[in-house]
Amino acid sequence: MGIPKWTIKGIVDDFDECGCCGRRGLKRTVALMPLDADGNEDGSVVYYGTSCAATALSWTQGKVADTARAAQAERDQRDDYARRMISIYAPVEFAPVRDKARVYYGRNQSQRDTGVKATEEVAKLLAEARATLADTTIGPARPWRIEDFRRYVVIFNRDGGISLVRRVPEEEAKRQEQAAAAQRRADEIRGSVLVVAALNAEAARDVAYADELTREWNAKAWQAAHA
Ligand SMILES: [Zn+2]
């Protein structure tokens, strides 16, 4: 077996035309990256239907579909991790060093007093997360700025676990209706309600579970972005 000419980067549903045979109306296509003779990524991604991708790789369609799904799941996981890091740390990026250090070491207890500098780590985490979401290898960039944060109402149960996360509606009347319903629900289960800002609902859970200082900066960042 020679070096394969392609590597599978993911599977997308925003391209419905096979870049190989031109067939249209495909439910999803496989993102293939060309490789040079040494096996390095070389050029830009093409989108093939599963059957043309299978021919190009000399694989079965089943193996193509499985590999593409796994590659996509890995990308989605990286994106989710990036959204969580940005939702936690972007609001403290310009906070006083003392606050930044408290937020960082609060989440990374084992690095306290090891010489790992919180300021540098936060900058590094944010740079990596932004690069992940700005990456357009197989599709458009994903939102990553504080201006892209949305608000989420989080209901905690009485044990401190999250029982529900819902996006806060833009419209004021609907927002108030949701806030009242959330409070009623929290009262019923003897829990509590919190509103946090984040890039998605998964990241909102992280912010909601974070310490008070992280949530304080989260609220400040939301206000500053919507002043
Ligand atoms: Zn095709």
Side-chain angles (χ1 to χ4, degrees), residues 17-23 26 47-53:
E17 183 180 345
C18 177
C20 179
C21 66
R23 206 174 130 200
L26 301 168
Y47 300 88
Y48 282 12
T50 319
S51 99
C52 284

Side-chain angles (χ1 to χ4, degrees), residues 75-186:
R75 298 190 82 82
D76 291 345
Q77 249 170 36
R78 273 204 302 270
D79 280 3
D80 272 337
Y81 180 74
R83 289 188 190 99
R84 286 165 47 209
M85 291 300 105
I86 289 174
S87 299
I88 292 283
Y89 291 119
V92 294
E93 188 171 18
F94 302 108
V97 175
R98 199 168 157 271
D99 282 10
K100 208 188 295 193
R102 275 176 61 197
V103 165
Y104 181 78
Y105 294 126
R107 304 179 66 81
N108 300 276
Q109 306 266 4
S110 64
Q111 289 180 13
R112 204 185 288 268
D113 306 320
T114 58
V116 171
K117 289 203 172 66
T119 307
E120 287 167 18
E121 289 306 305
V122 168
K124 205 162 75 184
L125 280 166
L126 285 173
E128 282 168 6
R130 286 167 181 153
T132 297
L133 295 174
D135 178 68
T136 55
T137 306
I138 73 159
R142 281 77 65 215
W144 57 266
R145 302 167 313 151
I146 286 183
E147 289 75 11
D148 299 315
F149 282 20
R150 298 287 172 258
R151 276 190 305 179
Y152 294 85
V153 60
V154 180
I155 302 179
F156 285 93
N157 61 38
R158 58 191 294 201
D159 305 322
I162 290 175
S163 112
L164 185 127
V165 179
R166 285 274 187 282
R167 171 97 179 262
V168 173
E170 308 281 337
E171 203 186 305
E172 181 62 18
K174 281 189 184 153
R175 195 185 61 73
Q176 282 181 15
E177 202 178 296
Q178 184 193 56
Q183 193 55 59
R184 274 199 306 277
R185 178 67 191 141

